[in-house]
Amino acid sequence: VLIGPRPAGKGLPPRSPSSTRAGKPRDGVIADFGRKRSIVFPPSRLQPTLPLPLGAGLIREHVYGVNGSPLHTLHVLRDRRILYIAARLCIMTDLGTGAQTYFE
């Protein structure tokens, strides 16, 4: 959880001259990681990114993993394909080519 700019005092050591770059102070923020509080700095060469345009999204290329908790969810078919469940998908994989077909 980000709290805000680094306050003066508050149990943190004062900024030293080495914490400045070309005379400009670094802009760190205090973040809580569980029970530990730490100062986090953005990457030095951070380039702001524009939001994705409407309609942009992810494309599924390949599914890795299998849901093995339900019984009888992995089936080997006669034509060298396997049928199994991963997350919300039913996947049919060709063992010869590795090509997958998905059913949602």
Side-chain angles (χ1 to χ4, degrees):
V1 176
L2 296 179
I3 297 176
R6 179 179 170 184
K10 302 284 184 185
L12 297 172
R15 291 182 190 255
S16 65
S18 64
S19 67
T20 62
R21 194 179 312 149
K24 297 179 181 176
R26 293 182 185 174
D27 295 322
V29 293
I30 296 176
D32 287 329
F33 298 100
R35 296 181 182 176
K36 183 173 177 152
R37 184 172 279 190
S38 182
I39 299 172
V40 179
F41 297 97
S44 58
R45 293 187 177 103
L46 179 67
Q47 297 292 325
T49 59
L50 298 174
L52 291 175
L54 292 177
L58 300 175
I59 298 171
R60 184 181 304 118
E61 292 181 2
H62 199 82
V63 176
Y64 296 93
V66 62
N67 185 358
S69 58
L71 296 175
H72 311 294
T73 58
L74 178 65
H75 302 279
V76 180
L77 307 177
R78 291 183 184 163
D79 56 355
R80 295 185 38 107
R81 293 185 298 171
I82 56 174
L83 182 69
Y84 59 96
I85 298 171
R88 293 180 37 177
L89 299 173
C90 179
I91 302 149
M92 189 177 306
T93 302
D94 186 322
L95 295 176
T97 64
Q100 292 181 330
T101 306
Y102 315 102
F103 304 97
E104 292 188 51

